[in-house]
Amino acid sequence: MNDQLNNKSLIQCSNVNVFYADQQALFDINLDIRENEVTSLIGPSGCGKSTFLRCINRMNDVIDICKVEGSISIDNQNIYDPEVDVVELRSRIGMVFQKPNPFPKSVYDNVAYGPKLHGRILHQEDLDRKVQESLERAGLWSEVKDRLHEPGTSLSGGQQQRLCIARAIAIDPSVILMDEPCSALDPIATAKIEELIDELKSKYTITIVTHSMQQAARVSQRTAFFHLGKLIEVGDTEKIFRSPEHEQTEAYVTGRYG
Amino acid sequence: MTEEHIVTSFDDELRELTDGLIHLGGLAQIALANVEKSLKMNDHDLAKKTIEADKQINALQFELEEMTFNILAKRQPMANDLRSVFSSVKIILFLERIGDMCKGVCKRIAKGDLLNAKSPKTIDALVGLTKDVQNNLDLVLDDYAQGKADNALNVWRSDIKIDSSYASILTAILEDIRNKPEAIEALVPLFFIARYLERIGDQATNIAEVNHFIVTGEVLTDDRKLEAEEKTVF
Ligand SMILES: Nc1ncnc2c1ncn2[C@@H]1O[C@H](COP(=O)(O)OP(=O)(O)OP(=O)(O)O)[C@@H](O)[C@H]1O
Ligand SMILES: [Mg+2]
């Protein structure tokens, strides 16, 4: 059960502080995210999970009033270094959101978009292969192989979410960020995504925000609990749901948080 | 943790389960007290009553298991809730077994030939053994009711003593069998009674370990017990 533990850390966050205008949203976050593991971020609404996730691919840059301090290193490179090419950085980090958000394009083009954008794939047959491979890895290929040229939005919600995952992995990221990827899905679609996450972790480092402690327990090896912008506790997921160190963590995971 | 759940019906269910378990523990204590009395007084009526009363324990066991099952399905408890609900499944079983074993002792008593063994010393020793076991059961049930594990180590240590009293009782019975082969039919039940009592003691130790798990989240392994034992020797 613990075979995935103690992988080396891929992402190091040190003293991360985030402000929206003069409102501070995150306070001195120090967190290491290990390679080829799934790390869950849990905590009550508004505690800063999404804000933290958006720090990792510098999505906060697009929010004018948002200011990020501290450092986040991926593969020993500080991604907030002025020399970092943000487009290139985002090509190494896939992101999946709460609501499936396929582009208003065909299934095929949704997946082909990233590789084309980053100019990685020049030949049509390579692109075809990439699209198929990504859809296969996202567990969607058999369901859509005859519908590749239908709009992505014509798929069911669960299929759309797997399409978004296919889109995210088509760019060969090393990191995948997921912000409540199952909250709009039924139990079957949720189970498929969870199964997928489990398979993907051998190739990618995954960080997932979830409101379900049971989901965190099922999919992740490490869990970080945030509360009011602070990282209260991080540890092996098993430890967090079995006997967390901090009373606040216990109160939250047992549903006593008032 | 004293703070209440956001869902108050969850608190109600947990309280009902804990109260039910304490009640079940009480029934096991009564059964064991009856064992002690019936043994000491050779009281067949009390033994028969105790056999009958085991049905109550089984019925409550069933009810509590249902309750636990439903809580798991409905609430999917976590952390201390998970530890306590999971543990209640085990404690229910341990208590039910204590009930069964008390019944086993009482059956041997109710048959009515114990006195034919003409071994008052062995009977006394069995009564003494029962008292030690009773004491351990009281301690672990007190701990459980208070959400503590303070007595876990004491109980574990005292169980070692119980095991050695059990061993010497067996030796005495064997010697009796050698010396008074004509009494063998009355001596063999004493042998079984000793065995039951020793196993009831084990159940109390099991409950102590579960209490420790509820409180700390850690499993009390034999190594850990030894470690703690060594620390308290001095
Ligand atoms: N674009 C924004 N502009 C201003 N404030 C923001 C912005 N985004 C988030 N915040 C604030 O930052 C804090 C953290 O929000 P965030 O969205 O990170 O929380 P969260 O943990 O993801 O919550 P939820 O579980 O509801 O998604 C909140 O107080 C929120 O109001
Ligand atoms: Mg969020």
Side-chain angles (χ1 to χ4, degrees):
Chain A
M1 194 165 187
N2 292 347
D3 57 342
Q4 287 292 332
L5 299 183
N6 300 322
N7 286 1
K8 85 171 174 44
S9 95
L10 178 73
I11 305 173
Q12 292 101 25
C13 308
S14 331
N15 304 316
V16 174
N17 286 288
V18 178
F19 303 82
Y20 292 105
D22 50 9
Q23 272 296 82
Q24 187 160 2
L26 289 177
F27 298 81
D28 269 324
I29 307 298
N30 290 289
L31 178 63
D32 281 4
I33 293 171
R34 295 178 186 167
E35 192 164 36
N36 298 118
E37 279 188 16
V38 182
T39 302
S40 291
L41 310 181
I42 61 168
S45 189
C47 70
K49 304 176 297 291
S50 298
T51 299
F52 178 72
L53 207 63
R54 286 197 303 264
C55 290
I56 300 175
N57 63 353
R58 290 188 54 172
M59 282 257 293
N60 286 326
D61 288 15
V62 301
I63 303 172
D64 278 343
I65 56 167
C66 186
K67 190 174 81 190
V68 179
E69 288 175 358
S71 86
I72 295 181
S73 300
I74 302 182
D75 254 340
N76 300 316
Q77 180 196 30
N78 183 359
I79 62 167
Y80 282 92
D81 197 289
E83 278 153 35
V84 165
D85 173 352
V86 178
V87 175
E88 192 275 334
L89 170 75
R90 293 205 190 117
S91 78
R92 287 190 280 136
I93 302 174
M95 182 136 185
V96 178
F97 298 88
Q98 173 171 7
K99 262 185 69 195
N101 58 347
F103 302 136
K105 293 170 183 289
S106 70
V107 169
Y108 183 97
D109 286 338
N110 262 281
V111 184
Y113 179 83
K116 275 205 259 183
L117 176 76
H118 295 293
R120 293 209 178 132
I121 292 178
L122 304 169
H123 299 290
Q124 185 60 42
E125 58 268 36
D126 291 342
L127 196 58
D128 289 349
R129 200 173 314 122
K130 187 83 216 167
V131 168
Q132 176 169 348
E133 180 196 294
S134 306
L135 286 168
E136 276 170 355
R137 229 179 265 162
L140 192 58
W141 175 250
S142 64
E143 289 161 66
V144 300
K145 63 179 192 299
D146 301 320
R147 303 172 61 180
L148 289 178
H149 299 289
E150 289 174 29
T153 48
S154 71
L155 302 178
S156 77
Q159 289 171 329
Q160 288 185 28
Q161 195 60 307
R162 279 178 286 143
L163 178 62
C164 293
I165 293 175
R167 185 177 69 191
I169 59 188
I171 56 171
D172 289 321
S174 54
V175 176
I176 302 178
L177 308 175
M178 299 182 167
D179 198 345
E180 300 181 48
C182 302
S183 60
L185 306 182
D186 78 357
I188 304 281
T190 298
K192 285 185 184 166
I193 301 280
E194 289 181 1
E195 171 69 9
L196 182 57
I197 290 172
D198 207 45
E199 284 165 16
L200 292 175
K201 78 170 190 290
S202 63
K203 283 190 77 113
Y204 311 96
T205 298
I206 299 172
T207 302
I208 177 175
V209 172
T210 174
H211 278 290
S212 155
M213 188 55 216
Q214 280 75 22
Q215 179 167 66
R218 289 190 298 263
V219 302
S220 69
Q221 288 69 55
R222 304 259 295 167
T223 295
F225 171 63
F226 286 75
H227 182 49
L228 297 174
K230 296 193 172 110
L231 174 63
I232 304 297
E233 179 166 358
V234 57
D236 293 349
T237 299
E238 203 179 307
K239 167 86 181 153
I240 304 281
F241 69 68
R242 175 181 175 137
S243 50
E245 222 49 69
H246 289 259
E247 253 186 57
Q248 278 168 312
T249 316
E250 181 147 79
Y252 179 71
V253 303
T254 57
R256 287 183 174 85
Y257 178 81
Chain B
M1 175 152 306
T2 47
E3 220 179 310
E4 307 256 294
H5 287 89
I6 298 164
V7 180
T8 53
S9 53
F10 186 14
D11 280 320
D12 297 341
E13 289 168 9
L14 286 175
R15 211 170 296 126
E16 206 183 335
L17 179 61
T18 310
D19 289 351
L21 250 124
I22 292 171
H23 185 194
L24 186 65
L27 295 180
Q29 281 170 313
I30 292 172
L32 194 53
N34 288 347
V35 162
E36 194 239 339
K37 234 196 226 156
S38 331
L39 254 180
K40 196 156 75 184
M41 316 301 277
N42 194 31
D43 186 337
H44 297 189
D45 288 341
L46 185 58
K48 282 178 193 147
K49 247 194 236 158
T50 309
I51 294 168
E52 197 50 32
D54 187 53
K55 286 186 187 140
Q56 234 181 310
I57 292 186
N58 293 342
L60 186 54
Q61 171 206 5
F62 180 73
E63 202 181 302
L64 293 174
E65 279 175 354
E66 287 283 293
M67 222 185 262
T68 317
F69 192 79
N70 290 333
I71 291 178
L72 285 169
K74 282 200 286 190
R75 311 293 180 190
Q76 298 163 328
M78 280 290 169
N80 56 355
D81 295 334
L82 177 58
R83 300 202 299 274
S84 91
V85 175
F86 168 78
S87 297
S88 60
V89 179
K90 298 179 90 173
I91 296 182
I92 291 165
L93 269 178
F94 295 147
L95 290 172
E96 185 270 338
R97 269 185 235 160
I98 291 179
D100 262 0
M101 291 188 264
C102 288
K103 184 165 92 175
V105 175
C106 288
K107 276 185 179 166
R108 301 305 198 275
I109 296 171
K111 274 195 181 155
D113 46 13
L114 293 191
L115 291 185
N116 297 341
K118 300 203 168 41
S119 299
K121 259 197 196 154
T122 301
I123 303 270
D124 278 353
L126 287 172
V127 171
L129 188 60
T130 313
K131 281 184 176 152
D132 289 341
V133 172
Q134 258 182 305
N135 189 41
N136 277 0
L137 183 63
D138 292 350
L139 288 174
V140 298
L141 290 175
D142 275 359
D143 266 0
Y144 176 79
Q146 295 178 54
K148 291 182 180 166
D150 295 1
N151 291 307
L153 209 64
N154 276 334
V155 166
W156 181 69
R157 212 172 287 140
S158 141
D159 194 58
I160 298 174
K161 197 186 129 209
I162 288 174
D163 286 349
S164 74
S165 322
Y166 165 66
S168 39
I169 291 173
L170 289 196
T171 313
I173 295 174
L174 282 176
E175 209 172 294
D176 272 352
I177 291 177
R178 256 193 304 275
N179 297 338
K180 305 180 277 187
E182 71 283 0
I184 189 159
E185 279 189 33
L187 284 164
V188 167
L190 294 183
F191 187 96
F192 279 111
I193 290 173
R195 176 84 187 117
Y196 279 129
L197 291 170
E198 185 265 339
R199 283 173 59 202
I200 295 172
D202 288 344
Q203 305 304 319
T205 315
N206 287 340
I207 297 174
E209 284 167 17
V210 173
N211 285 338
H212 179 84
F213 175 76
I214 295 175
V215 174
T216 65
E218 274 162 27
V219 177
L220 200 58
T221 59
D222 283 352
D223 286 354
R224 280 225 188 97
K225 282 187 268 183
L226 274 180
E227 235 171 72
E229 180 74 358
E230 274 159 20
K231 266 186 220 148
T232 48
V233 163
F234 306 103

